[in-house]
Amino acid sequence: MRQLLSGNEAIARGAYEAGVRVAAAYPGTPSTEILENIAEYPEIYAEWSPNEKVALEVGAGAAMAGARALVAMKHVGLNVAADPFFTLAYTGVNGGLVVVSADDPGMHSSQNEQDNRLYARAAQVPMLEPSDSQEAKDFVKVALDLSEQYDTPVLMRITTRIAHSKSLVELAERAEIPLRSYIKDTGKYVMLPGFARERHPLLLKRMEQLGEFSNTSDLQKVEWGVGKRHIGFICAGVAYQYVRESFPEASILKLGMTYPLPRRLIEEFASQVDELYVIEELEPFMEDQLKAWGIKVEGKSRLPRVGELSPEIIHQSFVIQLGPTNKGDVPFPVPASQPSDPEMDMAEEPDAVTPTIDWCFQAIPGRPPVLCPGCPHRGVFYALQRLRLTVTGDIGCYTLGALRPLSSMDSCLCMGASISMAHGMEKARGKDTGQRTVAVIGDSTFLHSGIAPLMDVVYNRGSSTVIILDNRTTAMTGHQDHPGTGFTIRREPTWAVDLEALCRALGVKQIWVLDPLDLDKLREGIRKATEADEPSVIIARHPCVLLENPFQDRLYQVIPDKCVSCGLCRDLGCPGLIFELRSLLPETGSSSAERLLPRIDPDQCRGCGLCAQVCNHQAIAEVPKSQGAEEG
């Protein structure tokens, strides 16, 4: 049976069919849906782990015990899990273990666009890269087989376009893989220095064997073009789809296993073409290796090193930019649907066009992201901005508090860093600085990696103020549950972590639980917390408006006669507030009497009432919802 699946759905299906028994992850775009779909299979134990490091350790334990396991994370998650990842390469596994890294070229929802293929090389772990959903499913089984055959974790790297795009997938039945026997082996699994020294040569020997496998594996495919063969491409993952779409008759060496690279196969392919190009996103991972082997090749000299590729960018680089080749013809037959712009002909103006990501999106107007209307985080950032505090931030939807007009976040490095950075600033500059600094972190992120930094603040006698933005969910990745919500991934009731008790257990004595939509109490709480001569925590608790809205029957409206256009409500950055130039003397039409006046869009308003609280002129008032609908 065939089914239309996204890459993430296909990976989940692959785990099911390949007999995976344990799967763990921390949600992160673009990988989140892998575990959400695995959770639909009762044959697999699935869990949201508090962070990627823990998830990988859960998977490693399952594999050591003899079960097949899968661990998924976005690319920056592998940074969190790097510690166990590198050492797992030494210990090896027992049951198969595949680690899925979902990279995000173009940074659609990430703080960087690192290329995690480099992790495979650094940790000496084999790596597969599927180029569509069918391969995403099939490669899970291949990865688990390789893992068990060569006693190694296997990295499966996908990118956003593979994770979220859909293609037809042939489904199969689940293979019930029996548990492998667990045999105590101290020298293999306990990486004391003496044991680790013995394991390192074994690791290198394993990679030699995998290099030979890479040369002969069916994962690597040569597709000779129709007619001319003087130009050849080497590519993998979604780049293969782009090349195939741009140049359907080109000769291509498509790689499914990109570490270790198949040297012999690549040299043979290179010997049969006059010009060789590597098409790959981000780093010149393959290109550098080919050059190190002495193979004449080009890639990044024509393609951007940042952001995603696309058929348009490749077309621009190899047709428009190059123009006719030295042989006097267009290098490749181009599909009739490809864009054509004679004014961009590089044969006439060779410096006029440089491939850029913007080239594809120049017609789309820019729209900065904003917090949702009614978002409870808005009150916190508005208060922090007004108090002019230094704010160390963290990863989550609340990172939007750094943008105008809230502009109330000073840093954002990685998950959990907000608390430790605030602590470091206090240690560097004294308690006065500490009392002007606040760390903000979400409830899920606090449980992910904020507990240890808060322990550090208490243990090392800091006095930082931490605001936990507790909206009762993992909002930014799609409202996943976490240990503080009281529900498992399958919505089974479970023990809910008490944040107040947890903070007290860590040694924090100054704790306030406040509603961030009550601005007066929030400001007073922040003032008391920052004045405290010891660690303090404010739990700003209000459910995410997309999950629960206690004010859904409330609606607010601007009273034009009272509004003085002071702009205080504009500083909230609420999408429900619309500002329009209106004439105060409509009968005269005088432009000098125009003012920027707010209006509340009843379709956007969530009734939180923040705008009415910040207005000093009582120009915003609650009205019956029916009236608002009539006037909106």
Side-chain angles (χ1 to χ4, degrees):
M1 182 178 70
R2 302 177 79 191
Q3 193 169 333
L4 192 64
L5 298 178
S6 70
N8 283 346
E9 293 168 335
I11 290 170
R13 180 70 190 188
Y16 166 76
E17 293 182 6
V20 165
R21 291 171 179 257
V22 174
Y26 183 82
T29 304
S31 68
T32 304
E33 296 85 2
I34 295 173
L35 253 289
E36 289 181 333
N37 283 277
I38 283 180
E40 298 295 320
Y41 299 107
E43 294 86 352
I44 304 175
Y45 167 78
E47 69 162 45
W48 291 128
S49 299
N51 62 43
E52 295 84 354
K53 179 173 179 288
V54 173
L56 182 52
E57 290 163 348
V58 169
M64 189 183 302
R68 286 191 160 188
L70 181 146
V71 179
M73 59 197 71
K74 68 179 298 178
H75 62 292
V76 290
L78 193 50
N79 300 339
V80 180
D83 197 5
F85 182 71
F86 275 70
T87 307
L88 271 172
Y90 278 54
T91 66
V93 294
N94 182 19
L97 174 62
V98 58
V99 180
V100 181
S101 169
D103 290 10
D104 187 16
M107 293 179 281
H108 296 284
S109 183
S110 305
Q111 63 268 46
N112 70 28
E113 55 179 4
Q114 69 190 46
D115 190 332
N116 274 10
R117 295 178 298 175
L118 299 170
Y119 263 113
R121 179 186 291 159
Q124 296 288 291
V125 169
M127 176 174 61
L128 308 183
E129 290 193 75
S131 61
D132 59 24
S133 295
Q134 181 69 58
E135 288 189 347
K137 191 205 79 165
D138 294 343
F139 281 15
V140 172
K141 181 179 185 303
V142 173
L144 290 165
D145 289 343
L146 282 174
S147 176
E148 292 172 349
Q149 182 180 351
Y150 290 93
D151 190 21
T152 177
V154 174
L155 182 64
M156 185 163 139
R157 187 236 190 193
I158 61 173
T159 56
T160 304
R161 298 297 168 181
I162 297 296
H164 290 164
S165 61
K166 292 194 173 187
S167 60
L168 285 172
V169 177
E170 186 72 36
L171 305 185
E173 297 298 320
R174 175 177 169 87
E176 291 298 342
I177 307 297
L179 280 172
R180 291 188 164 197
S181 300
Y182 171 69
I183 300 173
K184 183 176 180 178
D185 189 342
T186 305
K188 184 175 188 297
Y189 292 120
V190 181
M191 286 300 92
L192 290 169
F195 296 141
R197 293 188 194 107
E198 294 178 0
R199 295 295 300 179
H200 198 180
L202 297 176
L203 167 69
L204 300 179
K205 181 65 176 177
R206 175 200 303 158
M207 293 310 297
E208 288 181 14
Q209 296 168 346
L210 282 161
E212 187 58 32
F213 170 84
S214 183
N215 273 306
T216 58
S217 170
D218 292 340
L219 296 168
Q220 329 287 34
K221 296 177 181 175
V222 176
E223 300 175 359
W224 289 114
V226 179
K228 303 167 185 173
R229 288 191 179 188
H230 64 275
I231 293 178
F233 291 104
I234 296 178
C235 48
V238 74
Y240 164 76
Q241 304 291 356
Y242 298 156
V243 173
R244 182 51 74 211
E245 182 176 339
S246 299
F247 311 119
E249 298 181 6
S251 295
I252 299 174
L253 172 54
K254 174 188 174 300
L255 300 179
M257 185 176 196
T258 49
Y259 191 78
L261 285 168
R263 178 173 182 173
R264 198 167 61 247
L265 179 62
I266 290 173
E267 289 176 336
E268 182 180 343
F269 181 76
S271 69
Q272 298 186 54
V273 297
D274 298 331
E275 299 174 30
L276 182 63
Y277 297 95
V278 171
I279 308 296
E280 56 189 332
E281 290 178 324
L282 301 183
E283 297 301 309
F285 177 79
M286 294 189 287
E287 181 185 344
D288 283 353
Q289 183 60 70
L290 266 60
K291 288 178 175 175
W293 286 337
I295 298 173
K296 185 179 179 182
V297 63
E298 281 192 64
K300 291 302 175 186
S301 60
R302 304 192 185 281
L303 293 165
R305 197 168 170 172
V306 299
E308 291 185 293
L309 295 181
S310 69
E312 291 79 8
I313 291 174
I314 294 171
H315 169 82
Q316 184 186 19
S317 301
F318 286 89
V319 177
I320 297 177
Q321 183 180 10
L322 289 178
T325 67
N326 294 332
K327 299 177 184 299
D329 56 6
V330 175
F332 317 103
V334 180
S337 59
Q338 288 289 351
S340 178
D341 185 350
E343 295 182 358
M344 299 177 70
D345 186 353
M346 292 304 299
E348 296 180 4
E349 297 183 7
D351 297 328
V353 176
T354 299
T356 64
I357 306 303
D358 295 339
W359 188 78
C360 303
F361 304 105
Q362 54 191 350
I364 303 175
R367 291 179 296 176
V370 295
L371 295 170
C372 300
C375 174
H377 301 333
R378 180 171 282 105
V380 172
F381 288 115
Y382 184 84
L384 292 173
Q385 182 206 48
R386 292 289 151 179
L387 293 169
R388 302 189 184 283
L389 296 172
T390 300
V391 180
T392 53
D394 222 291
I395 306 291
C397 18
Y398 46 88
T399 311
L400 298 175
L403 303 179
R404 292 179 179 176
L406 294 169
S407 305
S408 52
M409 189 180 288
D410 291 63
S411 69
C412 179
L413 181 62
C414 63
M415 296 183 79
S418 60
I419 301 173
S420 45
M421 289 184 72
H423 183 62
M425 292 173 72
E426 178 194 346
K427 290 297 182 184
R429 301 184 65 88
K431 287 197 173 182
D432 288 345
T433 296
Q435 290 181 332
R436 297 295 305 165
T437 304
V438 170
V440 296
I441 189 168
D443 50 338
S444 180
T445 313
F446 177 71
L447 295 170
H448 174 285
S449 52
I451 298 172
L454 184 57
M455 280 191 289
D456 187 49
V457 170
V458 177
Y459 177 66
N460 288 302
R461 306 172 70 85
S463 61
S464 296
T465 294
V466 177
I467 301 180
I468 301 175
L469 303 167
D470 182 8
N471 62 359
R472 315 305 298 156
T473 187
T474 312
M476 193 168 192
T477 51
H479 301 103
Q480 290 77 32
D481 283 297
H482 59 67
T485 65
F487 295 97
T488 68
I489 188 173
R490 294 188 171 110
R491 296 298 292 171
E492 300 159 335
T494 187
W495 179 260
V497 172
D498 183 330
L499 291 181
E500 300 96 296
L502 174 58
C503 293
R504 287 193 184 92
L506 294 175
V508 180
K509 298 173 183 174
Q510 300 289 334
I511 301 174
W512 293 265
V513 180
L514 300 171
D515 185 341
L517 296 182
D518 187 336
L519 282 181
D520 287 340
K521 290 183 179 177
L522 181 65
R523 290 191 191 101
E524 180 63 14
I526 294 173
R527 186 187 62 78
K528 289 180 179 177
T530 52
E531 288 177 356
D533 194 26
E534 57 183 302
S536 57
V537 170
I538 293 173
I539 300 173
R541 178 170 292 156
H542 195 96
C544 173
V545 71
L546 298 181
L547 287 182
E548 178 183 344
N549 183 15
F551 309 128
Q552 59 184 352
D553 294 328
R554 299 199 322 198
L555 185 64
Y556 286 83
Q557 198 169 78
V558 175
I559 305 169
D561 293 343
K562 292 186 176 181
C563 180
V564 298
S565 302
C566 65
L568 283 175
C569 59
R570 187 170 62 241
D571 289 346
L572 284 169
C574 178
L577 282 163
I578 300 169
F579 293 86
E580 301 168 327
L581 273 176
R582 298 186 197 174
S583 172
L584 298 180
L585 300 171
E587 64 280 3
T588 64
S590 171
S591 59
S592 62
E594 286 186 336
R595 282 203 327 221
L596 199 60
L597 291 177
R599 177 172 66 82
I600 296 176
D601 180 353
D603 293 329
Q604 296 253 22
C605 180
R606 295 293 178 269
C608 71
L610 279 179
C611 53
Q613 293 181 59
V614 304
C615 181
N616 292 331
H617 304 277
Q618 292 75 50
I620 299 177
E622 185 178 350
V623 296
K625 200 155 191 174
S626 57
Q627 179 182 340
E630 290 171 2
E631 299 186 8

